[in-house]
Amino acid sequence: MRRTDPEGHGPVRFGPPDPEDGLPVLPELSAVLAAAASRAGAEPVGGGPALLDAACGYGDRRGLPAAPDRVAVAPGAPALLVALPAAIGGDVLVPRPCAAWWAPYARLLRRPAFHVPTPAESGGVPDSYALLETVRRMRAEGGDPRLLVLSVADDPTATVAPPELLHETVEAAVGEGLHLVSDETWRDTLHDPHGTVLLSPAEMLPDRVTVVTDLVGALLPPGWPAAVARFPAGEEGIALHARVLDVLTALDARVAAPIAAAAVYALSEPEPVTARVADSVRLHALLAAAAHRAVVAAGAVSRPPSCGRHLYVDLTPLAPALTARGVGDAQELEDFLTVRLGMPAPGGHRFGDELEAPRVRLSTAPLLGGTAGLRAECLRTSEPLELPHVRDALAHLTSVFDDLRDDARRRESPR
């Protein structure tokens, strides 16, 4: 089995950060942090009682109940994605594409990370037949697959996996003896929460799934790191929880006391927090839909975004125009679009896709404007797409892709 370290531009060790919301910090959240700023210490490893209780309440409201002794809080999901493979051992399987930060943390532990293709309907969850074939080949070649990381609300594809697809993949994984880690960082960012069915693997198999939620997905600013892990029920979950705490202790991975106070407030979901989450999701859903219309109209391929603050774009149909501009792979496409768009456009190779595939992830936060005032204005209006600076940003994005479309048409061979 060939691992998926891209070649030609050097291995991609660490990818771009998660898509940010780009909005001013919620004032009530800032007040909680400020009130706790004099607390110079940190939480115990895994979180103190108040933090664990708040995390349990958050899970309960989503149909994922757990007692505090099955929950751990760490300073960001990356610490948990180091601790879990270290505690479980063996080789790691991830979808193709997947969040940019998953595979590098397995490689830090010298654990092979193998990518499994996702189906056409959505990203984040591997195709069940491809998963079975990958596991078979790994074992035939001496591998030891033990852990599958997946996400039903996905970065980078911004899609939500259908429950029937998830069910098939979870059954296949469990049949092969794999432990599942479900990254549910983006579950609270569904663009149409009433029209989208999001099912956690932990609801299907509570004794075989660890759920990881990074609070930067919806509840905390990106510079305030805190993430929750909910461990499986039963003796296996208890043992895994203990081993993960050992790793977190070795890393001294503790949440700073002021951040913990903010996390307790956010996880408790008072009205200011839920209102801000709803407003942010609505805003980014509108921007993502507008960006999606622009890239699809130009001839690129993109699944309609249904969660998060991003979309994933395949520019294969525009290859003639890209080739004419000296763009031959995803790294060159990243460099080209980052300059032309004036915003980050990380290539698909950072998410486990082939280097040769011309794919990028586009985030919506840069469309909100370049100042805190402009971005706050987007929150206050009922029609953010009509704001002049947002209109200009979308028009610029549209023009860049339209130029590629027009150039590609000119370079098509006459029939």
Side-chain angles (χ1 to χ4, degrees), residues 83-377:
L84 282 160
I88 293 170
D91 301 338
V92 180
L93 297 107
V94 295
R96 168 179 282 139
C98 71
W101 54 277
W102 288 357
Y105 288 102
R107 291 199 293 266
L108 280 177
L109 299 170
R110 299 191 179 276
R111 300 285 163 76
F114 294 91
H115 288 264
V116 185
T118 55
E121 298 94 318
S122 65
V125 176
D127 176 83
S128 58
Y129 293 104
L131 176 64
L132 291 172
E133 176 62 12
T134 301
V135 170
R136 183 192 68 77
R137 291 175 61 190
M138 289 172 68
R139 287 177 174 150
E141 297 176 16
D144 182 21
R146 295 192 197 177
L147 175 63
L148 170 63
V149 186
L150 50 76
S151 60
V152 286
D154 185 45
D155 170 28
T157 66
T159 58
V160 177
E164 59 274 14
L165 184 156
L166 178 66
H167 189 270
E168 292 172 0
T169 299
V170 168
E171 277 196 337
V174 171
E176 294 298 327
L178 303 180
H179 185 86
L180 279 75
V181 171
S182 177
D183 180 358
E184 301 187 6
T185 295
W186 300 101
R187 69 169 296 150
D188 291 335
T189 66
L190 301 185
H191 296 178
D192 181 12
H194 300 296
T196 305
V197 178
L198 186 149
L199 185 65
S200 170
E203 296 179 68
M204 300 178 182
L205 291 168
D207 60 341
R208 296 300 297 272
V209 180
T210 298
V211 175
V212 172
T213 305
D214 198 318
L215 303 192
V216 303
L219 297 178
L220 290 181
W224 301 10
V228 177
R230 173 196 178 276
F231 293 88
E235 293 184 4
E236 180 181 339
I238 292 172
L240 179 58
H241 177 258
R243 293 197 301 273
V244 165
L245 288 181
D246 286 344
V247 177
L248 294 177
T249 299
L251 296 172
D252 195 27
R254 300 188 294 162
V255 179
I259 302 298
V264 168
Y265 179 78
L267 284 165
S268 302
E269 298 183 288
E271 192 277 334
V273 169
T274 56
R276 166 57 73 87
V277 170
D279 290 345
S280 174
V281 169
R282 173 183 168 275
L283 173 59
H284 285 283
L286 290 170
L287 292 167
H292 180 261
R293 288 192 295 270
V295 300
V296 171
V301 177
S302 176
R303 296 173 176 132
S306 54
C307 67
R309 304 184 280 262
H310 54 285
L311 65 157
Y312 200 57
V313 185
D314 185 344
L315 282 81
T316 299
L318 304 177
L322 294 172
T323 301
R325 288 166 167 81
V327 175
D329 62 28
Q331 180 60 61
E332 292 168 350
L333 179 61
E334 173 183 314
D335 297 339
F336 171 77
L337 283 181
T338 296
V339 172
R340 291 294 299 275
L341 293 173
M343 58 187 276
H349 59 303
R350 299 188 182 277
F351 307 100
D353 261 330
E354 298 289 351
L355 182 64
E356 296 76 16
R359 296 173 186 147
V360 293
R361 186 191 71 187
L362 301 179
S363 297
T364 49
L367 303 173
L368 294 171
T371 69
L374 290 176
R375 294 178 175 217
E377 188 179 1

